[in-house]
């Protein structure tokens, strides 16, 4: 339950920072298309996100974090 609460908090924060709904974030995560999310961010944030997505080692490190795993489980309905 704590992981789900952490995931929800992270989604809330990401939603607030990117200026998009949580549903939009979930849909982008499920489809693998982050372009819709990034078009609403400032160029610095957008560049940081693209940098991580283009570096497999950075992306893997983030995906293996407990917070990311909680979000993945939540998106999968677990």
């Amino acid at each position: 339950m704590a992981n789900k609460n952490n995931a929800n908090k992270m989604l809330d924060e990401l939603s607030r920072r990117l200026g998009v709904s949580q549903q939009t974030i979930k849909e982008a995560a499920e489809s693998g298309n982050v372009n819709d999310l990034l078009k609403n961010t400032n160029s610095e944030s957008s560049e940081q996100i693209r940098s991580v997505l283009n570096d497999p080692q950075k992306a893997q490190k983030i995906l293996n974090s407990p917070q990311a795993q909680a979000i993945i489980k939540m998106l999968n309905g677990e």
Side-chain angles (χ1 to χ4, degrees), residues 5-73:
N5 287 338
N6 287 340
N8 284 331
K9 286 179 186 177
M10 287 180 59
L11 276 173
D12 285 341
E13 181 65 17
L14 186 58
S15 174
R16 186 181 64 76
R17 286 186 183 208
L18 295 178
V20 296
S21 71
Q22 287 187 19
Q23 185 62 34
T24 301
I25 294 168
K26 289 178 183 179
E27 289 170 1
E30 289 169 354
S31 71
N33 182 3
V34 296
N35 290 327
D36 288 341
L37 293 178
L38 297 181
K39 71 180 178 185
N40 293 320
T41 63
N42 66 44
S43 61
E44 183 180 335
S45 295
S46 178
E47 192 56 40
Q48 288 175 339
I49 293 168
R50 281 189 170 85
S51 168
V52 169
L53 294 175
N54 290 326
D55 184 333
Q57 290 177 329
K58 285 181 186 177
Q60 192 62 45
K61 184 177 179 181
I62 290 170
L63 287 173
N64 287 334
S65 72
Q67 297 88 349
Q69 290 299 310
I71 290 173
I72 291 167
K73 286 181 180 179

